[in-house]
Amino acid sequence: SAVISQKPSRDICQRGTSLTIQCQVDSQVTMMFWYRQQPGQSLTLIATANQGSEATYESGFVIDKFPISRPNLTFSTLTVSNMSPEDSSIYLCSVAGDSPETQYFGPGTRLLVL
Amino acid sequence: AQSVTQLGSHVSVSEGALVLLRCNYSSSVPPYLFWYVQYPNQGLQLLLKYTTGATLVKGINGFEAEFKKSETSFHLTKPSAHMSDAAEYFCAVTQNSGNTPLVFGKGTRLSVIA
């Protein structure tokens, strides 16, 4: 199994600012995924981050707004840029295990934008 | 493309009654199917998963689900609801090839009435 930690666990930010969320995994993984869960909603995939290549973004998400770094096989960051209240969500990091039947989720970062 | 439909955004049952949460999926390839639970202000917890083999899958906390290919369904059941089962439940699908992310349903909020 994989243990995932995220920092910060929660934050309150002012509109127009940016926040970088860190995701650390206790083992090397190929693929990492970033999801957003808006209040009262389900999880929506933001992007897939593969080490050594540019992240692949889902429809409706762009790199300028959600830049992602993946410097090695155990770490990734997601930045929420130029935040607005609509960005208030839980942001979750996820990794795929050795087989596609196994996915692990971090505890999430709860973001409130005022 | 894969998708998940959860019928009923909110289900309410009496304590001790049967819990039935419905999930239908769409997938052009053999799916892997998951049920996750999210308690208030907590992260996602895997309840159970179907990959291959036996179509009746048993999970934690007395939950089980049956994969019915002919009906493209993966409904979650529990014979007797407990107050502690009150939470948000998410059905998710991924494909059984490669490191692919999960596609989530919109979720079903389960309320248990004493």
Side-chain angles (χ1 to χ4, degrees):
Chain A
S1 64
V3 177
I4 305 172
S5 60
Q6 287 185 232
K7 290 182 180 179
S9 59
R10 61 179 66 238
D11 207 343
I12 301 174
C13 301
Q14 297 298 317
R15 67 174 67 208
T17 63
S18 299
L19 176 72
T20 295
I21 302 168
Q22 299 178 5
C23 176
Q24 180 74 53
V25 189
D26 69 342
S27 58
Q28 293 184 339
V29 294
T30 303
M31 305 295 283
M32 297 180 77
F33 309 104
W34 285 98
Y35 291 85
R36 180 177 74 181
Q37 185 179 22
Q38 294 178 299
Q41 302 297 317
S42 185
L43 284 78
T44 301
L45 182 67
I46 297 172
T48 300
N50 195 0
Q51 194 270 335
S53 62
E54 292 286 332
T56 303
Y57 290 82
E58 298 298 303
S59 175
F61 298 95
V62 295
I63 187 171
D64 289 346
K65 176 68 175 178
F66 297 101
I68 289 171
S69 77
R70 183 77 200 277
N72 56 54
L73 291 173
T74 64
F75 187 78
S76 177
T77 66
L78 169 76
T79 298
V80 186
S81 304
N82 188 25
M83 289 184 285
S84 67
E86 291 70 33
D87 295 319
S88 298
S89 297
I90 301 173
Y91 293 86
L92 297 103
C93 169
S94 172
V95 302
D98 294 336
S99 64
E101 67 188 73
T102 309
Q103 290 209 6
Y104 305 97
F105 284 86
T109 295
R110 286 167 170 74
L111 171 62
L112 176 62
V113 183
L114 301 177
Chain B
Q2 297 175 304
S3 66
V4 173
T5 301
Q6 290 184 241
L7 295 176
S9 60
H10 185 203
V11 171
S12 185
V13 301
S14 298
E15 190 174 19
L18 171 70
V19 175
L20 172 59
L21 304 183
R22 299 179 186 274
C23 172
N24 288 89
Y25 70 91
S26 173
S27 178
S28 58
V29 297
Y32 284 174
L33 295 157
F34 305 78
W35 275 100
Y36 286 86
V37 60
Q38 187 177 38
Y39 297 101
N41 298 314
Q42 295 190 26
L44 286 174
Q45 182 179 6
L46 179 65
L47 273 178
L48 49 79
K49 62 184 177 184
Y50 168 79
T51 55
T52 58
T55 56
L56 181 61
V57 180
K58 295 186 184 299
I60 62 172
N61 301 338
F63 284 94
E64 63 181 35
E66 186 172 10
F67 170 61
K68 292 187 176 181
K69 184 178 179 181
S70 61
E71 298 178 8
T72 61
S73 69
F74 191 57
H75 301 331
L76 181 71
T77 61
K78 182 174 180 178
S80 176
H82 192 273
M83 296 297 288
S84 61
D85 295 326
E88 189 85 19
Y89 291 80
F90 295 98
C91 182
V93 64
T94 189
Q95 61 188 49
N96 63 351
S97 59
N99 289 316
T100 54
L102 295 174
V103 175
F104 285 85
K106 293 186 180 296
T108 297
R109 177 165 298 177
L110 176 65
S111 297
V112 182
I113 303 168

